[in-house]
Amino acid sequence: GEDGMAAACASRALWAALTRPPNPARAPAAPRAVPRARAPPPSDGDAGGGRDNHRRRPRAHGPHAPDVNLHWRAKNLERAGDRLGALRLLTTALELYPTNAHIGVSAARLVAENVDGRGASTALDDALAIAERCAEHDPNNAVVANLRATLEAKRGGKGAAARARALFARSVELNPAHAAAYHAWAVFERSRGRVAKARRLFRECRVADPTRAATSQAWALLEVDDRNFAEARRLFQDAVALDESHAPSWQAWADTERRLGNVGKAERLFRKGEEATRDAARGITGAASGTRVRRAREANAANARDLGGGRRAKEPTELDGDKTSGVDNNSAGGAKTRTSRRSRLGGGGGSRAKLRARSSLLCSWASFEVARGSPTSGQRGDGYNMPLARTLFREAVDTCPENAQAWTQWWKAEAMASRGGSRGGGLGGSGFGRLNPNSSEGAERQLAVANEGLAKCPGNERLRHARALSLKSLGDTAGARHELEALARDFPANAHAAHSLGLLLQELGEFDAAVSAFERGKDASLPCLTAAAAAASHSGDVARARGLFMEGSAVASSGGARGRVGGFGPGVGSNDGGSSAGTVGSGFFGSLDDSSFGVFDGSFVDAAAVDGAGAAYASPGSFSSSSSSSRGGGVSSSSSSAQPSSSFGERMRTATRRDCSAHLRLWALLEKRDGAETVARTLFQRATDVDPTDGATWLQWGQFERRVSGAAAARSRFELGLAKCDSSDPYAAYLYQAWATMEAAEGDDAMAADLFADGTAAHPRAATLWLERGLFEASRGDVKAARRSFETGIETAPDYPPVFEALARLEFGEGNESRAEEVARA
């Protein structure tokens, strides 16, 4: 019975299984793929027929195709900061999968940025070759066409602009919704001064993608160039409304307000931008990111409210980020922050690009604080803004250690602090640095910044240059010379290095060697040509000097391509090397000052970040190579072989109006000493036509006219100079001084007294002006007024000996011998 029942149940179950309809949710198992035959061993292997390990195919993990996995791994390396490793993996992947356009585009972009230090010119050629091979395999790829266009624009040369425009047009024709191509094309046209066309392209980009914050931000910069500031502000507001964490928008907006003189608004924008972008650093740099900035800002505000009291912001340790303001950068609440692998690769808070943009924003804010800070303590250069600036610089380099420009800007800030501050129009601060060398402590700080920066960015040419100048400030002339000579060999097109080497040799009395060093950089730099001519003139070789001055005559008379220092205009970026009227910049260093090899103007603008996507290729760079350049004998982007008639082209592209004015002014001084008074006067006139805001030209022209034509002609030059030059120009105080002393010598004491009063009111930190005023009042018998002027000068510049000597002589003459001895000892 039971056995029969079991058999019947088994039969029914078998019948049900055979007659059951198929389940559509379960597809039949796919047959196993036939394994591919292994590739034969390479014929060009070793002698024993072994495998060539150098050509081994990289392992590709993941569920995707091998080429997709390799590309994914390379992009993750790039996001994690290992750009060189990413380039190596992409190069291998491109050899294995030459038809993959995605791999080719990524590889070309990294090659173009000179990641491996092959040289800027070579890198652009190689990147363009990769892009062209991608176009051969995929001729209808809009991204490839856009990349080729930006590389053509960056490389330059004859016909490059036309080729770039044709490729941009091809890209948007292939994909009318390709917003990145419209953006890059618009930035390219902006760099060429074609404002109307750039504006139309930005509109097309907005239509293609109305959510891009970078489009509004880059369009705003175009309106700034065209001086449509109301429209620019509206576009900046649109950009931060679209993406509040877009650091380049905050940075560009704040820098625009700074250049317009709206210092308070610029500070508020920097603060809002730092707060809005703080999350970009979390997950990569630790949860405590931003705490130091907040605490330092609060301490800075408290210090500003109590400048004379005992409460002062505790100055952060300059180069020890873990102790700054008592906050551990890798801890929160005493416990170490743990970050996942996804966070280290750019997830969980932000990508490496966002970190770079935030670093640039923080560095720009720090530079702004340095430029507007005024020293208030008894120590020269220890203004109440420097602690906050150092904290911001530290946060910037911790956020993105490979940002070499941030390290360089920090080095410049320390150089300015050691010179005694940066307040525009002050000779007791800015000009005082010309009379006294950098303090040993300040030079040590500069060297420490340069050394730490080189540890993070090995071989970077700007940081190597900074290290050499720091050694020079510390008195290590031999070490500085060795560093500069090595830098000039490794980067033969770096005009800054040639200029600094020439200045050092000139100080050592080796004038022929100095002229040779200057001439190595003269093809790319008008200041180098000017310095070579000045050195030849100083050595007595008038004919050679005149020939060098004439060689730069065409560029100098044209005013250069970069426009007025600090001005707004097409193609002029924010980091344009000077201060504009009404701002708190500090362009007083000038282009020929080797202590900064680039003017610190209170702004720090990473062009690639601020202009948005595409600007890194569409706009020509400065004549230093990219921040990622390494030690391997690279050349800078000023390679004179890029174009025919390269000498004129490079000088024209890099020269500012101040550079051109200085060239013509020094030429005029040469002709004056040689007795050619008419030629000298003509050159002075040309210099003021090129840059009417250059106080040095008006001062030297007025002194020339006083000797040649008399007081009336000199008076008109001094008056015009004060009317036209910027109030932040330190030579404005010298103009007051020269005019007042001339009127006193002419017997017009009332006019002289008025000029001294106006000059010290306009430039209260001008130590030499207070000294001359005191001497003038003492000569009139007004001892009390003279004493007051000398004492004010001592307060302004406590380390300026001539003021102490003048006051001691005054007190001794009045019979106050004890007071005179006290002043002399001080």
Side-chain angles (χ1 to χ4, degrees), residues 481 485 498-499 501-506 508-520 532 535 539 544:
R481 181 173 184 171
E485 288 175 344
H499 184 263
L501 178 59
L503 288 178
L504 177 62
L505 294 172
Q506 190 173 352
L508 295 175
E510 302 179 23
F511 291 103
D512 290 338
V515 173
S516 299
F518 288 134
E519 288 183 331
R520 284 201 294 270
S539 65
R544 186 179 185 184

Side-chain angles (χ1 to χ4, degrees), residues 374-375 420-430 760 762-768 770 796-797:
S374 59
S422 61
R423 196 79 166 171
L427 299 179
S430 61
T760 52
H763 305 278
R765 300 184 63 248
T768 58
W770 284 110
T796 298

Side-chain angles (χ1 to χ4, degrees), residues 756-774:
F756 276 123
D758 293 342
T760 52
H763 305 278
R765 300 184 63 248
T768 58
L769 193 53
W770 284 110
L771 173 62
E772 290 294 335
R773 180 176 180 176

Side-chain angles (χ1 to χ4, degrees), residues 184-267:
W185 192 359
V187 172
F188 168 74
E189 297 296 353
R190 175 197 167 210
S191 70
R192 296 305 188 273
R194 304 177 72 174
V195 176
K197 185 169 184 178
R199 188 178 287 122
R200 179 179 61 79
L201 289 167
F202 277 128
R203 289 196 188 98
E204 296 287 345
C205 185
R206 177 76 68 83
V207 171
D209 185 357
T211 65
R212 283 172 58 96
T215 300
S216 297
Q217 174 258 333
W219 190 353
L221 289 176
L222 174 72
E223 300 300 339
V224 170
D225 291 345
D226 206 31
R227 306 188 69 84
N228 297 326
F229 300 119
E231 179 66 12
R233 289 189 179 99
R234 186 189 67 78
L235 288 165
F236 281 132
Q237 288 173 346
D238 289 346
V240 297
L242 288 169
D243 183 2
E244 191 179 24
S245 66
H246 191 239
S249 295
W250 292 107
Q251 180 182 342
W253 190 1
D255 188 66
T256 298
E257 298 295 347
R258 177 198 65 82
R259 295 163 69 198
L260 290 173
N262 303 324
V263 178
K265 186 172 183 178
E267 182 183 13

Side-chain angles (χ1 to χ4, degrees), residues 799-814:
D799 296 334
Y800 187 43
V803 186
F804 287 85
E805 295 171 4
L807 180 57
R809 285 196 302 268
L810 178 69
E811 296 294 355
F812 189 81
E814 291 296 311

Side-chain angles (χ1 to χ4, degrees), residues 380-382 386 390 411-421 429 432-433 436-446 473:
R380 178 165 60 91
D382 190 20
M386 271 309 294
R390 288 189 179 111
W411 179 89
K412 292 182 185 180
E414 294 295 350
M416 287 190 62
S418 65
R419 284 171 171 258
F432 185 74
N436 294 272
N438 293 347
S439 67
S440 176
E441 180 184 359
E444 290 286 355
R445 282 177 175 172
Q446 296 170 47
S473 298

